[in-house]
Amino acid sequence: DLLDLFKEFSPIEETLKIRHDDQGRPTGDAIVACGTQEEAFKAAQLLNNCDYMGTRICAVLISPQWINIYLKNVYILLIKEN
């Protein structure tokens, strides 16, 4: 699963959110938080444009304010199919 891809970057499991369309199908977008800025930055660098289960993904470090959630001292990655 997607958390396995991030396991070396200390993902916070309960923050993983996979977006779904109106029919309940995954849209290809997800977010996950890492415990430190360094881990999230490293994950974004190493996983951006990597192949995950046959799909090239984009991993980008974003701010919690961009997604209208409050997660104190947490750094968020946006994962999107390329």
Side-chain angles (χ1 to χ4, degrees):
D1 84 338
L2 194 56
L3 284 174
D4 288 338
L5 180 66
F6 287 89
K7 65 183 170 196
E8 68 182 89
F9 308 107
S10 303
I12 301 170
E13 185 173 348
E14 60 271 11
T15 66
L16 176 63
K17 305 291 183 224
I18 299 173
R19 284 190 38 203
H20 295 84
D21 65 17
D22 293 339
Q23 286 76 42
R25 295 180 301 238
T27 62
D29 298 24
I31 59 169
V32 68
C34 296
T36 68
Q37 183 176 13
E38 292 79 20
E39 288 169 321
F41 184 75
K42 186 176 178 182
Q45 283 187 313
L46 295 177
L47 299 177
N48 190 40
N49 288 317
C50 80
D51 182 75
Y52 176 68
M53 298 178 68
T55 302
R56 186 157 306 278
I57 64 165
C58 174
V60 181
L61 187 63
I62 61 172
S63 166
Q65 294 87 349
W66 289 6
I67 54 174
N68 297 322
I69 63 171
Y70 179 73
L71 293 171
K72 186 175 181 181
N73 298 323
V74 172
Y75 300 88
I76 309 293
L77 288 159
L78 171 68
I79 304 99
K80 186 172 179 72
E81 291 180 3
N82 263 349

